[in-house]
């Protein structure tokens, strides 16, 4: 069966229904992973690509002032390849800083960095960084020297909340009108905030939104700030800060083929960890097996690692 692909950034991605998965009788999946807009890189897509395309489209005039784009990442972050691809399509040079000393060794060890190099990104070592704050501090002088525009962790949401969230907010339109639980796998928190704002916009009756942050980061303040800027500060959610796995740990999860629906591989850095937490802790979360539950699948992009 040919893999479904959605290329139009505004088209609603489908809701698939799976039965007898994860200890639940039925579960809906929001298939943002099926947004795959590139013919020359057909496996790259998802909600984070939408965010990046939206940012670049909104800044076309502003970006003409710069010689290129720079961002700082953890080596397994999809942010590197996503921004590199969108920058290339906008005819912009791209640089990525990473917290290592030996850049050639890092590239040889990590397929995610090899993929960035393939599309023309320059990888720049900035020494071992213990936090995103230190990585940013070490990146800014390089950005100034090169006259490159800096894209931050969370893809500059503080400056562009409406632009970065609009396409995700609108994707809430076709989720079921009533749900007991919506599960949002969470990294920086942008997608979760957008989903909450979308629930408000489309007046969906969702009893509980559970955000599962997959690498032990507390992003509540960021989510709350985004919601405030979107006029959705009244939206309630539950935050799980899961420290089970380090960020770079790969967890492989395939959701089985049910009826005519294709099997689905979850992202091995993000969604798979949230799925594992949900399965293991559903009793503690007080979620019944017959609940009306939706799992928001932000994207796959496993080609970046495997």
């Amino acid at each position: 069966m040919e893999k479904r692909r959605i290329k139009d950034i505004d088209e609603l991605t489908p809701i698939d229904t799976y039965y007898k998965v994860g200890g639940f009788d039925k579960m809906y999946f929001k298939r943002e992973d099926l947004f795959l807009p590139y013919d020359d890189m057909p496996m790259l897509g998802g909600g984070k690509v939408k965010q990046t395309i939206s940012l670049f489209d909104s800044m076309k005039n502003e970006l003409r002032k710069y010689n290129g784009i720079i961002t700082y990442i953890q080596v397994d972050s999809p942010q590197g390849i996503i921004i590199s691809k969108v920058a290339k399509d906008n005819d912009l040079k791209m640089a990525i800083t990473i917290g290592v000393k030996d850049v050639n060794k890092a590239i040889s060890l990590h397929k995610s960095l090899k993929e960035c190099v393939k599309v023309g990104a320059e990888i720049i070592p900035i020494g071992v960084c213990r936090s995103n704050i230190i990585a940013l501090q070490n990146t800014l002088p390089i950005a100034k020297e090169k006259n490159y525009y800096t894209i931050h962790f969370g893809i500059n949401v503080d400056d562009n909340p409406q632009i970065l969230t609009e396409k995700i907010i609108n994707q809430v339109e076709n989720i079921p009108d009533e749900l007991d639980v919506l599960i949002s796998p969470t990294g920086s928190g942008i997608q979760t905030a957008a989903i909450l704002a979308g629930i408000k916009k489309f007046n969906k009756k969702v009893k509980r939104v559970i955000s599962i942050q997959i690498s032990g980061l507390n992003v509540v303040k960021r989510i709350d700030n985004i919601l405030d800027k979107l006029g959705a500060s009244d939206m309630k959610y539950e935050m799980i800060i899961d420290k089970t796995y380090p960020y770079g740990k790969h967890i492989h999860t395939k959701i089985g083929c049910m009826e005519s629906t294709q099997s689905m591989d979850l992202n091995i850095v993000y969604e798979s960890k949230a799925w594992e937490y949900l399965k293991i802790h559903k009793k503690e979360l007080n979620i019944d097996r017959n609940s009306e539950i939706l799992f928001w699948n932000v994207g796959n992009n496993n080609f970046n690692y495997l």
Side-chain angles (χ1 to χ4, degrees):
M1 186 185 298
E2 185 179 355
K3 182 177 177 64
R4 291 174 291 170
R5 285 181 64 195
I6 292 172
K7 298 182 182 181
D8 183 349
I9 196 170
D10 293 312
E11 182 178 342
L12 291 174
T13 53
I15 306 295
D16 282 352
T17 305
Y18 287 77
Y19 297 91
K20 306 297 182 184
V21 292
F24 298 97
D25 293 341
K26 178 181 73 174
M27 186 173 292
Y28 303 109
F29 287 85
K30 176 62 173 174
R31 297 299 305 274
E32 282 286 84
D33 59 306
L34 294 179
F35 173 65
L36 300 163
Y38 301 116
D39 289 332
D40 60 343
M41 194 174 281
M43 294 180 289
L44 180 66
K48 293 173 184 176
V49 173
K50 289 181 179 179
Q51 289 174 210
T52 309
I53 292 173
S54 298
L55 176 66
F56 276 67
D57 285 350
S58 71
M59 293 188 65
K60 284 188 182 294
N61 291 332
E62 176 72 13
L63 291 175
R64 289 173 185 165
K65 303 174 185 177
Y66 297 91
N67 297 330
I69 303 292
I70 192 167
T71 193
Y72 51 97
I73 65 167
Q74 297 186 60
V75 292
D76 269 344
S77 171
Q79 182 162 314
I81 185 59
I82 290 170
I83 297 175
S84 296
K85 171 58 178 167
V86 180
K88 180 180 180 181
D89 283 6
N90 282 271
D91 297 319
L92 291 164
K93 294 180 180 178
M94 180 68 199
I96 296 170
T97 63
I98 57 171
V100 300
K101 295 179 180 179
D102 188 336
V103 68
N104 291 324
K105 181 178 179 181
I107 293 171
S108 69
L109 291 175
H110 295 278
K111 187 172 185 289
S112 54
L113 297 179
K114 291 189 181 79
E115 293 293 334
C116 295
V117 171
K118 282 182 185 178
V119 295
E122 177 187 7
I123 312 297
I124 302 173
I126 53 174
V128 177
C129 300
R130 301 295 182 187
S131 70
N132 284 318
I133 293 174
I134 296 173
L136 174 59
Q137 290 172 346
N138 293 346
T139 299
L140 287 177
I142 301 170
K144 183 177 181 180
E145 178 184 351
K146 288 178 170 287
N147 187 34
Y148 277 16
Y149 177 78
T150 304
I151 295 184
H152 301 277
F153 170 70
I155 314 187
N156 297 35
V157 68
D158 292 336
D159 299 328
N160 307 279
Q162 287 81 14
I163 291 166
L164 284 175
T165 57
E166 179 185 11
K167 302 299 184 184
I168 311 305
I169 288 171
N170 290 338
Q171 285 294 328
V172 176
E173 183 177 0
N174 70 337
I175 73 170
D177 290 332
E178 296 185 8
L179 288 169
D180 294 315
V181 183
L182 187 150
I183 301 294
S184 176
T186 301
S188 67
I190 299 174
Q191 298 275 327
T192 298
I195 292 165
L196 286 159
I199 290 170
K200 180 174 183 176
K201 176 179 179 178
F202 294 105
N203 195 28
K204 300 292 183 175
K205 307 302 182 186
V206 182
K207 294 177 183 177
R208 300 170 67 192
V209 175
I210 301 177
S211 167
I212 304 178
Q213 209 292 328
I214 55 85
S215 60
L217 292 179
N218 187 341
V219 294
V220 169
K221 185 176 179 179
R222 175 180 282 115
I223 292 173
D224 290 350
N225 285 341
I226 299 170
L227 288 173
D228 185 57
K229 292 176 180 179
L230 296 175
S233 58
D234 57 325
M235 295 301 295
K236 306 300 181 186
Y237 63 98
E238 302 166 44
M239 171 60 73
I240 304 296
I241 302 173
D242 184 22
K243 300 181 180 180
T244 305
Y245 303 106
Y247 177 83
K249 176 71 174 177
H250 294 172
I251 304 298
H252 297 262
T253 301
K254 181 184 288 290
I255 307 298
C257 185
M258 296 293 166
E259 298 179 352
S260 62
T261 305
Q262 289 180 306
S263 62
M264 173 175 50
D265 292 307
L266 299 182
N267 180 276
I268 63 178
V269 173
Y270 286 89
E271 279 72 16
S272 285
K273 293 171 185 172
W275 177 256
E276 287 300 308
Y277 187 94
L278 174 63
K279 286 198 307 178
I280 294 169
H281 298 281
K282 57 181 175 290
K283 185 175 290 186
E284 299 165 43
L285 293 171
N286 196 28
I287 304 175
D288 295 331
R289 64 175 301 118
N290 61 352
S291 297
E292 290 288 297
I293 180 170
L294 181 141
F295 188 97
W296 194 283
N297 189 357
V298 177
N300 182 306
N301 296 325
N302 284 337
F303 80 95
N304 199 40
Y305 319 106
L306 303 175

